[in-house]
Amino acid sequence: MAKLITDEQIAEQKSYIMKLKEENMRYAAENGHTRLALTKTYGCQQNENDTERIRGMLEEAGFDFTEDDNKADVVIYNTCAVRENAEQKVFGRLGILKHIKESRPEMIIGVCGCMVQQEHITEKIKRVHEHVDLVFGTHALYKMPKLLFEAMHSKGTVIDIEDSDGMIAEDIPMKRDDVSKAWVSVMYGCNNFCSYCIVPYVRGRERSRTPEAVLNEVKELVSKGCSEISLLGQNVNSYGKDLDMDIDFADLIRMVNDVEGVKRIRFMTSHPKDLSDKLIDAIAECDNVCKQLHLPFQAGSDKILKEMNRKYTKADYLEKIEKVKKAIPNISLSTDVIVGFPTETNEDFEETLDVLRKVEFDNIFSFIYSRREGTPAAKLDFVLTDEEIHHNFDRLLEVQNEISKRKNDEYVGRIERVLVDGVSKNDENTLSGRCDSSKIVNFKGDKSLIGKYINVKITQAHTWSLNGEIV
Ligand code: SAH
Ligand code: SF4
Ligand code: F3S
């Protein structure tokens, strides 16, 4: 069972939150304005959820928030290590901040999360980005108040990237911007060690929160007006394996389904090898669980799947999908695909296209393989050239775009329940929301509908979204 960070350790952090708050109040009284913090998140929902914790702690410590680099007193980047371009973006931003800090030396720059949990990255930051004041990894998140306080009172870079061997910190304040929907982490870490992936190295071993902790969080969210809950974990199907009780993820979603006031439950991510019949039944039977499943297959060739250490074959995967479709006929399916794993040939890639054509996913998230230092796949030589890999990637999108459009066309004429998220980016008279299967729906309507469920008749389908009219 995962060890909890002790009450004393949490209390220590609370005392630093109070120290920061006193200083911030003094600063506001002297300067006529509150100190401002800026946070930016790279990476997955897990990281977004962690940033909500960071913002919660900053808010309690008396910071206000800004999105303007030039006004921020504290900048914290919560980083991702899953692909190289995520890391390059952060290094690019740090270069820009260096110039800003030259004119405002009192500014505090912090980098946290998955990327800096890798020692070679933290070494590079120390070497090349001396203007960074604070570096903390995924395991040190709960210690941010103390580390920030130290960074504000010392000259050198404060660094904490120690591995905690799987601890869980409860009772960290959170600042969520969206009232109607929320992410709730049910477990942390990953034990799968897919050969291309850095996540198990930067997030540590799998550890589950207790059902009580999850349910208490859900109930509190509902009491504040939230009705859509997305349960998060790198591999939610392993939920509960490390707990001293007889519970698995299927049991957990049934418990969340029974919480009064919850209208929609989503979850991610499921690993195909652990997708149980019990979970399929739970999705089918629970009224509030959205009929939607994200099931990454990564590659279609059995040879590549083996080298990826995915522990299933193409046939196993297709069989699971058939089971799901049979049990839940209206299920909306999505997946992750990697193109250009080092040993992948054009013939292997054809197998990936074959899976797309057979399953007909509603949408896919596709990535070109990115070499991650320290992973087993990093030692492999490439069979295909960059050009061939990009060509395959384009073909993948071509095949899938046609399928996605066709799947969306099926929605035309239907009436869908949509939770209104906000106004569309392109037009302020157009609202945007998601239907139960998570497709984006755009329609004309008044801003006062944001946060509400409404019925929308779908009138037009695009590849990536639907248009409709309120009924
Ligand atoms: N735990 C989830 C998600 C992990 S990261 C899962 O197992 O599905 C999200 C996606 O990033 C993965 O599904 C994979 O498709 C992709 N990914 C991970 N490592 C990668 C790498 N080195 N290069 C390219 N894509 C990668
Ligand atoms: Fe990475 Fe595989 Fe774990 Fe997903 S299951 S986080 S791809 S190692
Ligand atoms: Fe990236 Fe870390 Fe998520 S590496 S994908 S932010 S777990």
Side-chain angles (χ1 to χ4, degrees):
M1 189 153 158
K3 284 167 282 174
L4 287 184
I5 305 290
T6 62
D7 290 348
E8 288 76 44
Q9 285 168 306
I10 295 292
E12 187 192 6
Q13 296 307 319
K14 293 242 151 102
S15 75
Y16 278 97
I17 287 181
M18 293 325 290
K19 283 187 199 183
L20 287 166
K21 188 167 183 168
E22 273 167 34
E23 289 194 358
N24 280 341
M25 282 168 69
R26 209 175 314 130
Y27 177 92
E30 283 164 13
N31 295 277
H33 62 94
T34 314
R35 271 203 186 116
L36 297 175
L38 179 153
T39 61
K40 194 164 166 52
T41 314
Y42 301 82
C44 63
Q45 287 89 342
Q46 196 85 67
N47 249 23
E48 296 275 3
N49 195 219
D50 282 347
T51 300
E52 291 173 337
R53 293 185 175 89
I54 291 170
R55 289 170 74 83
M57 292 186 275
L58 288 169
E59 184 179 49
E60 282 206 354
F63 286 95
D64 267 346
F65 293 94
T66 177
E67 286 174 19
D68 185 347
D69 290 333
N70 293 299
K71 293 203 179 109
D73 299 290
V74 171
V75 172
I76 295 184
Y77 289 160
N78 191 10
T79 62
C80 173
V82 83
R83 282 171 291 276
E84 197 184 352
N85 56 5
E87 297 188 340
Q88 276 164 350
K89 272 190 217 158
V90 173
F91 281 123
R93 291 297 316 167
L94 290 179
I96 295 170
L97 287 186
K98 183 173 184 170
H99 295 294
I100 298 177
K101 192 166 167 146
E102 272 161 15
S103 57
R104 295 175 52 227
E106 71 288 359
M107 177 186 202
I108 296 289
I109 301 174
V111 188
C112 68
C114 295
M115 180 176 156
V116 296
Q117 195 66 50
Q118 307 168 93
E119 233 171 281
H120 71 275
I121 295 284
T122 297
E123 284 307 314
K124 181 170 169 185
I125 290 178
K126 280 201 283 192
R127 213 172 51 239
V128 186
H129 295 279
E130 277 175 276
H131 58 295
V132 171
D133 306 281
L134 172 60
V135 176
F136 57 101
T138 57
H139 301 276
L141 181 92
Y142 78 97
K143 291 188 238 172
M144 191 209 71
K146 181 172 186 216
L147 298 169
L148 176 59
F149 185 86
E150 286 170 358
M152 291 170 87
H153 293 91
S154 68
K155 279 222 163 66
T157 311
V158 172
I159 297 176
D160 186 341
I161 58 164
E162 220 172 295
D163 199 322
S164 68
D165 200 23
M167 303 285 276
I168 288 187
E170 294 290 355
D171 297 324
I172 298 179
M174 285 211 207
K175 179 174 160 52
R176 292 176 159 111
D177 289 333
D178 202 327
V179 180
S180 44
K181 50 185 198 185
W183 288 302
V184 173
S185 296
V186 303
M187 59 183 301
Y188 304 95
C190 181
N191 289 355
N192 287 328
F193 290 95
C194 302
S195 66
Y196 50 82
C197 184
I198 198 72
V199 171
Y201 304 88
V202 295
R203 284 274 173 185
R205 294 296 62 72
E206 282 173 1
R207 51 216 186 268
S208 307
R209 293 176 75 194
T210 62
E212 288 72 35
V214 173
L215 290 171
N216 286 340
E217 188 173 342
V218 170
K219 284 176 193 159
E220 203 197 318
L221 283 162
V222 169
S223 75
K224 290 180 184 154
C226 176
S227 62
E228 180 178 314
I229 303 288
S230 295
L231 303 174
L232 287 185
Q234 291 299 344
N235 179 21
V236 290
N237 299 150
S238 292
Y239 176 81
K241 283 185 185 159
D242 59 317
L243 292 175
D244 281 342
M245 48 183 105
D246 187 19
I247 185 169
D248 62 15
F249 188 63
D251 299 325
L252 185 73
I253 62 168
R254 283 183 192 273
M255 290 173 178
V256 177
N257 189 62
D258 289 341
V259 174
E260 179 96 21
V262 171
K263 293 200 179 114
R264 276 178 171 174
I265 300 163
R266 306 186 193 279
F267 59 89
M268 68 188 309
T269 299
S270 303
H271 193 299
K273 79 174 160 58
D274 306 311
L275 180 72
S276 64
D277 293 354
K278 191 176 162 192
L279 180 61
I280 297 173
D281 289 344
I283 302 169
E285 288 164 20
C286 290
D287 289 344
N288 300 322
V289 174
C290 291
K291 306 309 171 212
Q292 172 204 3
L293 182 66
H294 181 65
L295 196 65
F297 78 90
Q298 313 296 1
S301 145
D302 286 344
K303 180 194 92 190
I304 298 300
L305 285 171
K306 193 160 197 315
E307 283 168 13
M308 285 180 162
N309 193 29
R310 290 290 289 181
K311 303 191 176 81
Y312 54 84
T313 62
K314 179 182 168 193
D316 295 336
Y317 184 85
L318 292 174
E319 198 182 306
K320 290 243 160 131
I321 289 285
E322 277 320 305
K323 242 188 208 169
V324 170
K325 284 182 175 171
K326 197 154 171 253
I328 317 159
N330 56 342
I331 190 94
S332 164
L333 294 166
S334 59
T335 197
D336 291 349
V337 183
I338 296 177
V339 179
F341 185 80
T343 50
E344 185 173 75
T345 63
N346 285 325
E347 290 72 50
D348 293 321
F349 175 70
E350 289 300 328
E351 300 285 325
T352 295
L353 292 182
D354 189 48
V355 174
L356 292 189
R357 292 190 183 109
K358 288 207 163 97
V359 178
E360 302 203 303
F361 296 97
D362 287 77
N363 65 331
I364 66 168
F365 300 87
S366 47
F367 310 100
I368 289 183
Y369 169 80
S370 171
R371 189 185 167 278
R372 305 286 66 211
E373 196 168 315
T375 61
K379 296 192 193 79
L380 301 172
D381 292 326
F382 281 89
V383 175
L384 298 180
T385 62
D386 265 6
E387 205 184 347
E388 287 169 309
I389 291 171
H390 279 92
H391 176 71
N392 285 345
F393 188 75
D394 292 343
R395 282 185 64 208
L396 181 94
L397 294 184
E398 208 176 295
V399 169
Q400 181 56 36
N401 286 351
E402 190 270 316
I403 297 170
S404 294
K405 173 72 166 64
R406 191 148 39 81
K407 286 264 154 194
N408 281 350
D409 282 340
E410 290 171 13
Y411 277 67
V412 175
R414 282 196 209 166
I415 292 175
E416 288 287 320
R417 180 178 69 157
V418 173
L419 173 57
V420 186
D421 284 330
V423 290
S424 151
K425 269 178 245 146
N426 313 319
D427 167 17
E428 60 174 82
N429 295 315
T430 300
L431 298 176
S432 168
R434 285 183 190 263
C435 61
D436 288 343
S437 65
S438 202
K439 288 184 194 285
I440 297 170
V441 184
N442 296 308
F443 51 94
K444 296 268 181 249
D446 190 77
K447 268 193 218 152
S448 60
L449 293 172
I450 292 171
K452 299 202 167 77
Y453 290 89
I454 52 164
N455 286 329
V456 176
K457 184 172 182 183
I458 307 303
T459 53
Q460 198 186 9
H462 302 290
T463 309
W464 302 111
S465 66
L466 302 168
N467 287 356
E469 288 164 2
I470 300 178
V471 291

